[in-house]
Structure formats: structure tokens, C-alpha cells
Amino acid sequence: MGEVDVDCEDARFEPEKDREEEVFSCPNCGSTDFVENSAKAELICRDCGTVVDENRVEESASPRAFSAEERKKKARTGSPITYTKAGKGIRTSIGKGGEMRGVAPNKRGQYYRMKKWQNRIGESKDKKMQTALREIGRLVDVLNLPQTVKEEASRLYEKAIENDLIKGRRIERVSAALVYIVARNQRIPRTMKEVADESGVDKRKLGQTYRYIAKELELGIKPVKPEDFLPRFSEELGISGETQAQARKYILDARKENLLAGRSPGSIVAAAIYLASEKRGEKVTQTAIADTVGVTEVTVRKGYRDLMEGLEIEDEE
């Protein structure tokens, strides 16, 4: 059997998950003798020259330092990678602090020219991205969402730019659509009306944008379940845990009886909360529920009657 010719660019080494028992071997010649190229973060086979690992990341613990001099010598430079900052937070800036004091007088002209061109390139490349990241961060804060939503929405925005999906669309609309998608997929959804109101985007256009972005980026959109909204609305209304559990049971029973088809999650959760509070003697007004959930009082009453009838719950009055 002849030798298999493996192209260096296609040879990729996958380290084992258990790092304590890692055994490196070249996929081309089987050698275990390697040299590490620190400049390019590559691991190269000494025998055949195959790059068996690249983009290596230093995972050892940071060195300890007990004085200012030791911290200066042992410190690792650079901030952690994050998609919530333009350039992933690792771009080098020229001209920060008192750097000019350390520049020789005959080099200062060159220094200023480098700084000027870096600023021009940065402004043209990152201006829209910075605006989008600020909008995403603002929406995450006002909608009371965790930082995981901000990080993922920021990553998807950068991916949307790479796929040329932003052209011709307002930054606010795309940012709102991504926040809506990520929150929904992380099972901490916000209603489309909430996102539209906070972002100042028309609800219909927001719906068009999020469906377009999800399709082009091949994002699987998880269906919104009424029970996902229940804890938040229950807390805002101040109802007890027992009433919340009863409302959840009504929603699950209604799903078994196929009573949820064609209804919005907000209308279902509003009706279930009102029905559970009535049955447990916690007087929560229809107006309070409607204002909290973002539906009308008519919707609350109609959903309440439909649940009573569909689940065959007797009226105690």
C-alpha cells in the first residue's frame, strides 16, 4: 500500500478532550516529535513539516506577582475576547495615555501619521458596528435580559455584516430583531410588542426583519411557549407561587385539549393568570393583567371564558 499524500493545509489535529492524557501524533507520518511556532501559534511535525495544530491558546494559569515590578514583567497583555466590543475588544490603539513621552522627537511625525490613519480606518470600519453594539446593549438593559443575550446578539450582528445582510436596513431594526431571536431561543422571551416599543421599530417590520435574518443565518427559531412568560408576569403582578403553579397547569391542560391553536402566547398566559387568581381567591384585576402582559381587557375576558369552557371548569358564582 502506497503512502498517502496529505496536504499541509488540510491536515488538522484535534486534541483529545482529556487534556491530562493528551497524546499528540502526526496524522501524516505518525511522529510524536513536534516543534512549536509561538509567533504563529502552530504546532509543526519535525519529520514531515505538517502543521498538526494551529491557533493554539495558552490555557495555563496566570503567573503570580507580588510587586509592581513583577506584575509589569509577568502580566499578560490584552483584554479577553468579546463580541460586545468593536474588534472583539482586542484591537490595539495607537496614542493612548502618555505614550508620546517615550517617542523620540525625530519619530513623532511618523507616530502621528500612524495614529491618524488608524483612526480613519477604525472610524470607517467600526462606526456602524459600535452603533449596533450600543443599541443591542441598551435593549438588553431595558428589557432586563442577561448578558448572554447581549454577547450572542453581538456575535450574530457581526455574522450578519459578513453575510452582507445589513445593507438597506436600519441598524435599530436589525439589532432589535437579533435581541428578539436570541432571547426567544434562550427561553427568556420578550413579546414582539415589548421589543418593538423599546426599540422604536414598527412591529410589522420587526417581524419581517427577524424572519429574514433567521432564514439567511440559518437560525433555528424555537416556538414561544406561554409558560415561558409566566414567571416574569407573575412576579410583576405579585401573585403567589401556588397561583402561578395553578396557571401553569391550566396552560398545559389547554395544550393537551388543543385550545392554544391560533392564540398569541400573551393572551393565553393572561387568561390563565386571571383564571388561577380567581379560583385561588387572589383578586387581580383584568386591567392590571392586561397592562402587564400587553393585551386588552377584552382579550383577557375572552381567553378566560374559553379556558373555562374548554377545560370544563365550573363557575363558582
Side-chain angles (χ1 to χ4, degrees), residues 61-130:
S62 299
R64 300 179 68 185
F66 301 95
S67 65
E69 185 176 352
E70 288 181 347
R71 283 195 292 272
K72 186 175 180 180
K73 290 180 179 179
K74 298 181 179 181
R76 291 180 177 175
T77 58
S79 58
I81 295 176
T82 174
Y83 287 95
T84 60
K85 295 181 180 179
K88 300 180 184 179
I90 57 175
R91 180 171 290 123
T92 301
S93 296
I94 300 175
K96 297 294 183 181
E99 295 177 356
M100 285 301 297
R101 291 194 296 270
V103 178
N106 61 338
K107 293 289 185 179
R108 291 185 181 179
Q110 180 183 0
Y111 182 93
Y112 279 124
R113 286 192 297 274
M114 291 170 61
K115 180 179 177 181
K116 181 175 73 173
W117 277 107
Q118 187 194 46
N119 290 339
R120 285 184 180 179
I121 295 172
E123 286 177 4
S124 62
K125 188 175 181 180
D126 294 337
K127 188 174 182 179
K128 291 184 178 180
M129 189 66 187
Q130 289 172 351

Coordinates of all heavy atoms in Angstrom, one line a residue, residues 61-130:
A61 N -2.5 28.7 34.0 CA -2.9 29.8 34.9 C -1.9 31.0 34.8 O -0.8 30.9 34.4 CB -2.8 29.2 36.4
S62 N -2.5 32.1 35.1 CA -1.7 33.4 35.0 C -0.6 33.3 36.1 O -0.8 32.9 37.2 CB -2.6 34.6 35.2 OG -3.6 34.7 34.2
P63 N 0.6 33.9 35.8 CA 1.7 33.9 36.7 C 1.4 34.8 37.9 O 0.7 35.8 37.7 CB 2.9 34.4 35.9 CG 2.3 35.2 34.8 CD 1.0 34.5 34.5
R64 N 1.8 34.4 39.1 CA 1.5 35.2 40.3 C 2.6 36.3 40.4 O 3.8 36.1 40.1 CB 1.6 34.3 41.5 CG 0.5 33.2 41.5 CD 0.6 32.4 42.8 NE 0.2 33.1 43.9 CZ 0.3 32.7 45.2 NH1 0.8 31.5 45.4 NH2 -0.1 33.4 46.2
A65 N 2.2 37.5 40.9 CA 3.1 38.6 41.1 C 2.8 39.3 42.4 O 1.6 39.4 42.7 CB 3.0 39.6 39.9
F66 N 3.8 39.7 43.1 CA 3.6 40.2 44.5 C 4.2 41.7 44.6 O 4.1 42.3 45.6 CB 4.3 39.4 45.5 CG 3.8 37.9 45.5 CD1 4.4 37.0 44.8 CD2 2.6 37.6 46.2 CE1 4.0 35.7 44.8 CE2 2.1 36.3 46.2 CZ 2.8 35.3 45.5
S67 N 4.6 42.2 43.5 CA 5.1 43.6 43.5 C 4.8 44.2 42.1 O 4.4 43.5 41.2 CB 6.6 43.6 43.7 OG 7.3 43.0 42.7
A68 N 4.9 45.6 42.1 CA 4.6 46.3 40.9 C 5.6 45.9 39.7 O 5.2 45.7 38.6 CB 4.7 47.8 41.1
E69 N 6.8 45.6 40.1 CA 7.8 45.2 39.1 C 7.5 43.9 38.5 O 7.6 43.6 37.3 CB 9.2 45.2 39.7 CG 10.3 45.0 38.7 CD 11.7 45.1 39.3 OE1 11.8 45.5 40.5 OE2 12.7 44.7 38.7
E70 N 7.1 42.9 39.4 CA 6.8 41.6 39.0 C 5.5 41.6 38.1 O 5.4 40.8 37.1 CB 6.6 40.6 40.2 CG 7.9 40.3 40.9 CD 7.6 39.4 42.1 OE1 6.4 39.2 42.4 OE2 8.6 38.8 42.6
R71 N 4.5 42.4 38.5 CA 3.3 42.5 37.7 C 3.6 43.0 36.3 O 3.0 42.6 35.3 CB 2.3 43.4 38.4 CG 1.6 42.7 39.6 CD 0.4 43.5 40.0 NE 0.7 44.8 40.6 CZ 0.9 45.0 41.9 NH1 0.9 43.9 42.7 NH2 1.3 46.1 42.3
K72 N 4.5 44.0 36.2 CA 4.9 44.5 34.9 C 5.6 43.5 34.0 O 5.3 43.4 32.8 CB 5.8 45.7 35.1 CG 6.1 46.4 33.8 CD 6.9 47.7 34.1 CE 7.2 48.4 32.8 NZ 8.0 49.7 33.0
K73 N 6.4 42.6 34.6 CA 7.1 41.6 33.9 C 6.2 40.4 33.5 O 6.4 39.8 32.4 CB 8.3 41.1 34.7 CG 9.4 42.1 34.9 CD 10.6 41.5 35.7 CE 11.7 42.5 35.8 NZ 12.8 41.9 36.6
K74 N 5.3 40.0 34.4 CA 4.6 38.8 34.2 C 3.2 39.0 33.7 O 2.5 38.0 33.3 CB 4.5 38.0 35.5 CG 5.8 37.6 36.1 CD 5.6 36.8 37.4 CE 7.0 36.4 38.0 NZ 6.8 35.6 39.2
A75 N 2.8 40.2 33.6 CA 1.4 40.5 33.1 C 1.2 40.1 31.7 O 2.0 40.2 30.9 CB 1.0 42.0 33.3
R76 N 0.0 39.5 31.5 CA -0.4 39.1 30.1 C -1.2 40.3 29.5 O -2.1 40.8 30.1 CB -1.3 37.9 30.1 CG -0.6 36.6 30.5 CD -1.5 35.4 30.5 NE -0.8 34.2 30.8 CZ -1.3 33.0 30.9 NH1 -2.6 32.9 30.8 NH2 -0.6 32.0 31.2
T77 N -0.8 40.7 28.4 CA -1.4 41.9 27.8 C -2.7 41.5 27.0 O -2.9 40.4 26.6 CB -0.4 42.6 26.8 OG1 -0.1 41.6 25.8 CG2 0.8 43.0 27.5
G78 N -3.5 42.5 26.9 CA -4.8 42.4 26.1 C -6.0 42.0 27.0 O -5.8 41.3 28.0
S79 N -7.1 42.5 26.6 CA -8.4 42.1 27.3 C -9.0 40.9 26.7 O -8.6 40.4 25.6 CB -9.4 43.3 27.1 OG -9.6 43.5 25.7
P80 N -9.9 40.2 27.4 CA -10.5 39.0 26.9 C -11.3 39.3 25.6 O -11.8 40.4 25.4 CB -11.4 38.5 28.0 CG -11.6 39.7 28.8 CD -10.4 40.6 28.7
I81 N -11.4 38.3 24.8 CA -12.2 38.4 23.5 C -13.7 38.5 23.9 O -14.2 37.7 24.6 CB -11.9 37.2 22.6 CG1 -10.5 37.3 22.1 CG2 -12.8 37.3 21.4 CD1 -10.1 36.1 21.3
T82 N -14.4 39.5 23.3 CA -15.8 39.6 23.5 C -16.4 40.2 22.3 O -15.8 41.1 21.7 CB -16.1 40.5 24.7 OG1 -17.6 40.7 24.8 CG2 -15.4 41.8 24.7
Y83 N -17.6 39.7 21.9 CA -18.3 40.3 20.7 C -19.0 41.6 21.0 O -19.6 42.2 20.1 CB -19.2 39.2 20.1 CG -18.5 38.1 19.4 CD1 -18.2 36.9 20.1 CD2 -18.1 38.2 18.1 CE1 -17.6 35.9 19.4 CE2 -17.5 37.2 17.4 CZ -17.2 36.0 18.1 OH -16.6 35.0 17.5
T84 N -19.1 41.9 22.3 CA -19.8 43.1 22.7 C -19.0 44.4 22.5 O -19.5 45.5 22.8 CB -20.3 43.0 24.1 OG1 -19.1 42.9 25.0 CG2 -21.1 41.8 24.4
K85 N -17.8 44.3 22.0 CA -17.0 45.4 21.7 C -16.5 45.4 20.2 O -16.3 44.3 19.7 CB -15.7 45.5 22.6 CG -16.1 45.7 24.1 CD -14.8 45.8 24.9 CE -15.2 46.1 26.4 NZ -13.9 46.1 27.2
A86 N -16.4 46.5 19.6 CA -15.9 46.5 18.2 C -14.5 46.0 18.1 O -13.6 46.2 19.0 CB -15.9 47.9 17.7
G87 N -14.2 45.1 17.1 CA -12.9 44.5 17.0 C -12.7 43.4 18.1 O -11.6 43.0 18.4
K88 N -13.8 42.9 18.7 CA -13.8 41.9 19.7 C -13.1 42.3 21.0 O -12.7 41.5 21.8 CB -13.3 40.6 19.2 CG -14.1 40.0 18.0 CD -13.5 38.7 17.5 CE -14.2 38.2 16.2 NZ -13.6 37.0 15.7
G89 N -12.8 43.6 21.1 CA -12.2 44.1 22.3 C -10.7 43.9 22.4 O -10.1 44.1 23.4
I90 N -10.0 43.5 21.3 CA -8.6 43.2 21.3 C -7.8 44.0 20.3 O -6.6 43.7 20.1 CB -8.4 41.7 21.0 CG1 -9.0 41.3 19.6 CG2 -8.9 40.8 22.1 CD1 -8.6 39.8 19.2
R91 N -8.4 45.0 19.7 CA -7.7 45.9 18.8 C -6.8 46.8 19.5 O -7.1 47.4 20.6 CB -8.7 46.7 17.9 CG -8.0 47.6 16.9 CD -9.0 48.2 16.0 NE -9.5 47.2 15.1 CZ -10.8 46.9 14.9 NH1 -11.7 47.6 15.6 NH2 -11.2 46.0 14.1
T92 N -5.6 46.9 19.0 CA -4.6 47.8 19.6 C -4.8 49.3 19.1 O -5.1 49.5 18.0 CB -3.1 47.4 19.2 OG1 -2.9 46.1 19.6 CG2 -2.1 48.3 19.8
S93 N -4.8 50.2 20.1 CA -4.9 51.6 19.8 C -3.6 52.3 19.9 O -2.9 52.1 20.9 CB -6.0 52.2 20.7 OG -7.2 51.6 20.5
I94 N -3.3 53.2 19.0 CA -2.1 54.0 19.0 C -2.4 55.3 19.6 O -3.4 56.0 19.2 CB -1.5 54.2 17.6 CG1 -1.2 52.8 16.9 CG2 -0.3 55.1 17.6 CD1 -0.8 52.9 15.5
G95 N -1.6 55.8 20.6 CA -1.8 57.1 21.1 C -2.6 57.2 22.4 O -3.2 58.2 22.6
K96 N -2.5 56.2 23.2 CA -3.3 56.2 24.4 C -2.3 56.6 25.6 O -1.1 56.3 25.6 CB -3.8 54.8 24.8 CG -4.9 54.3 23.8 CD -6.1 55.2 23.8 CE -7.2 54.7 22.9 NZ -8.4 55.5 22.9
G97 N -2.9 57.4 26.5 CA -2.1 57.8 27.7 C -1.0 58.8 27.3 O -1.0 59.6 26.4
G98 N 0.1 58.6 28.1 CA 1.3 59.5 27.9 C 2.4 58.8 27.0 O 3.6 58.9 27.3
E99 N 2.0 58.1 25.9 CA 2.9 57.4 25.1 C 3.9 58.3 24.4 O 5.0 57.9 24.1 CB 2.2 56.6 24.1 CG 1.4 55.4 24.7 CD 0.6 54.6 23.7 OE1 0.7 55.0 22.5 OE2 -0.1 53.7 24.1
M100 N 3.5 59.6 24.1 CA 4.4 60.5 23.4 C 5.7 60.8 24.2 O 6.7 61.2 23.6 CB 3.7 61.8 23.1 CG 2.6 61.7 22.0 SD 3.4 61.1 20.4 CE 4.5 62.5 20.1
R101 N 5.6 60.6 25.5 CA 6.8 60.9 26.3 C 8.0 59.9 26.0 O 9.1 60.3 26.1 CB 6.5 60.9 27.8 CG 5.6 62.0 28.3 CD 5.6 62.1 29.8 NE 5.1 60.9 30.4 CZ 3.8 60.7 30.7 NH1 2.9 61.7 30.4 NH2 3.3 59.6 31.2
G102 N 7.6 58.7 25.5 CA 8.6 57.7 25.2 C 9.0 57.7 23.7 O 9.8 56.8 23.3
V103 N 8.5 58.6 22.9 CA 8.8 58.6 21.5 C 9.9 59.6 21.2 O 9.8 60.8 21.7 CB 7.5 58.9 20.7 CG1 7.8 59.0 19.2 CG2 6.4 57.9 20.9
A104 N 10.8 59.2 20.4 CA 11.9 60.1 20.1 C 11.4 61.2 19.2 O 10.5 61.1 18.4 CB 13.0 59.3 19.3
P105 N 12.0 62.5 19.4 CA 11.5 63.6 18.7 C 11.5 63.4 17.2 O 10.6 63.9 16.5 CB 12.5 64.7 19.1 CG 13.0 64.3 20.4 CD 13.0 62.8 20.4
N106 N 12.5 62.7 16.6 CA 12.5 62.5 15.2 C 11.6 61.5 14.7 O 11.4 61.3 13.5 CB 14.0 62.2 14.7 CG 14.4 60.9 15.4 OD1 13.9 60.5 16.4 ND2 15.4 60.2 14.8
K107 N 10.9 60.8 15.6 CA 9.9 59.8 15.2 C 8.4 60.2 15.4 O 7.5 59.5 15.1 CB 10.2 58.5 16.0 CG 11.5 57.8 15.7 CD 11.4 57.1 14.3 CE 12.7 56.4 14.0 NZ 12.7 55.7 12.7
R108 N 8.3 61.4 16.0 CA 6.9 61.8 16.4 C 6.0 62.1 15.2 O 4.8 61.8 15.2 CB 7.0 63.0 17.3 CG 7.6 62.7 18.7 CD 7.5 63.8 19.6 NE 8.1 63.5 20.9 CZ 8.2 64.3 21.9 NH1 7.8 65.5 21.8 NH2 8.8 63.8 23.0
G109 N 6.6 62.6 14.1 CA 5.8 62.8 12.9 C 5.2 61.5 12.3 O 4.1 61.4 12.0
Q110 N 6.1 60.4 12.3 CA 5.7 59.1 11.9 C 4.6 58.6 12.8 O 3.6 58.0 12.4 CB 6.8 58.2 11.8 CG 6.5 56.8 11.4 CD 7.7 55.8 11.4 OE1 8.8 56.2 11.7 NE2 7.5 54.6 11.0
Y111 N 4.8 58.8 14.1 CA 3.8 58.4 15.1 C 2.5 59.0 14.9 O 1.4 58.3 14.9 CB 4.4 58.7 16.5 CG 3.5 58.3 17.7 CD1 3.8 57.1 18.3 CD2 2.5 59.2 18.1 CE1 3.0 56.8 19.4 CE2 1.8 58.8 19.2 CZ 2.0 57.6 19.9 OH 1.3 57.2 20.9
Y112 N 2.4 60.3 14.6 CA 1.1 61.0 14.4 C 0.5 60.5 13.1 O -0.8 60.4 13.1 CB 1.4 62.5 14.4 CG 1.5 63.1 15.7 CD1 2.7 63.9 16.0 CD2 0.5 63.0 16.7 CE1 2.8 64.5 17.3 CE2 0.6 63.6 17.9 CZ 1.8 64.4 18.2 OH 1.9 65.0 19.4
R113 N 1.3 60.2 12.1 CA 0.7 59.7 10.9 C 0.0 58.4 11.1 O -1.1 58.1 10.6 CB 1.7 59.7 9.7 CG 2.1 61.0 9.2 CD 2.9 60.9 7.9 NE 4.2 60.2 8.1 CZ 5.3 60.8 8.5 NH1 5.3 62.1 8.7 NH2 6.4 60.1 8.6
M114 N 0.7 57.5 11.8 CA 0.2 56.1 12.1 C -1.1 56.3 12.9 O -2.1 55.6 12.6 CB 1.2 55.3 12.9 CG 2.4 54.9 12.0 SD 3.7 54.2 13.1 CE 2.9 52.8 13.8
K115 N -1.1 57.2 13.8 CA -2.3 57.3 14.7 C -3.5 57.9 13.8 O -4.6 57.4 14.0 CB -2.0 58.3 15.8 CG -3.2 58.6 16.7 CD -2.7 59.6 17.8 CE -3.9 59.9 18.7 NZ -3.5 60.8 19.8
K116 N -3.2 58.8 12.9 CA -4.3 59.4 12.1 C -4.9 58.3 11.2 O -6.1 58.3 11.1 CB -3.7 60.6 11.3 CG -4.7 61.2 10.4 CD -4.2 62.5 9.7 CE -3.2 62.0 8.6 NZ -2.8 63.2 7.8
W117 N -4.1 57.5 10.5 CA -4.6 56.5 9.6 C -5.3 55.4 10.3 O -6.3 54.9 9.8 CB -3.4 55.9 8.8 CG -3.1 56.8 7.6 CD1 -2.0 57.6 7.5 CD2 -3.9 57.0 6.5 NE1 -2.0 58.3 6.3 CE2 -3.2 57.9 5.6 CE3 -5.1 56.5 6.0 CZ2 -3.7 58.4 4.4 CZ3 -5.6 57.0 4.8 CH2 -4.9 57.9 4.0
Q118 N -4.8 55.1 11.5 CA -5.6 54.1 12.3 C -7.0 54.6 12.7 O -8.0 53.9 12.6 CB -4.8 53.7 13.6 CG -5.5 52.5 14.3 CD -5.0 52.3 15.7 OE1 -4.8 53.3 16.5 NE2 -4.7 51.1 16.0
N119 N -7.1 55.9 13.1 CA -8.4 56.4 13.4 C -9.3 56.5 12.2 O -10.5 56.2 12.3 CB -8.2 57.8 14.0 CG -7.5 57.8 15.3 OD1 -7.6 56.8 16.0 ND2 -6.9 59.0 15.7
R120 N -8.7 56.8 11.0 CA -9.6 56.8 9.8 C -10.1 55.5 9.5 O -11.3 55.3 9.2 CB -8.8 57.4 8.6 CG -8.5 58.9 8.6 CD -7.8 59.3 7.4 NE -7.5 60.7 7.4 CZ -6.9 61.4 6.4 NH1 -6.4 60.7 5.4 NH2 -6.7 62.7 6.5
I121 N -9.2 54.5 9.5 CA -9.7 53.1 9.2 C -10.7 52.6 10.2 O -11.7 52.0 9.9 CB -8.4 52.2 9.1 CG1 -7.5 52.6 8.0 CG2 -8.9 50.7 9.0 CD1 -6.2 51.8 8.0
G122 N -10.4 52.9 11.5 CA -11.3 52.5 12.6 C -12.7 53.1 12.5 O -13.7 52.4 12.6
E123 N -12.7 54.4 12.1 CA -14.0 55.1 12.0 C -14.8 54.5 10.9 O -16.0 54.3 11.0 CB -13.8 56.6 11.8 CG -13.3 57.3 13.1 CD -13.0 58.8 12.8 OE1 -13.3 59.2 11.7 OE2 -12.5 59.5 13.7
S124 N -14.2 54.3 9.7 CA -14.9 53.8 8.6 C -15.4 52.4 8.8 O -16.5 52.0 8.3 CB -14.1 53.9 7.3 OG -12.9 53.1 7.4
K125 N -14.6 51.6 9.5 CA -14.9 50.1 9.6 C -15.8 49.9 10.8 O -16.7 49.0 10.7 CB -13.6 49.4 9.8 CG -13.8 47.9 9.7 CD -12.5 47.2 9.7 CE -12.7 45.6 9.7 NZ -11.4 44.9 9.7
D126 N -15.7 50.6 11.9 CA -16.3 50.2 13.1 C -17.5 51.1 13.5 O -18.1 50.8 14.5 CB -15.3 50.2 14.3 CG -14.3 49.1 14.1 OD1 -14.6 48.1 13.4 OD2 -13.2 49.2 14.7
K127 N -17.7 52.2 12.8 CA -18.7 53.2 13.2 C -20.1 52.5 13.3 O -20.8 52.6 14.4 CB -18.8 54.3 12.3 CG -19.6 55.5 12.8 CD -19.5 56.7 11.8 CE -20.4 57.8 12.4 NZ -20.3 59.0 11.5
K128 N -20.5 51.8 12.3 CA -21.8 51.1 12.3 C -21.8 50.0 13.3 O -22.9 49.8 14.0 CB -22.1 50.6 10.9 CG -22.4 51.6 9.9 CD -22.8 51.0 8.6 CE -23.1 52.1 7.5 NZ -23.5 51.5 6.2
M129 N -20.8 49.3 13.5 CA -20.7 48.2 14.5 C -20.9 48.7 15.9 O -21.6 48.2 16.7 CB -19.4 47.4 14.3 CG -19.4 46.1 15.1 SD -20.6 44.9 14.5 CE -20.4 43.7 15.8
Q130 N -20.2 49.8 16.2 CA -20.3 50.4 17.5 C -21.7 50.9 17.8 O -22.2 50.7 18.9 CB -19.3 51.6 17.6 CG -17.8 51.1 17.7 CD -16.8 52.3 17.6 OE1 -17.2 53.4 17.3 NE2 -15.6 52.0 17.8

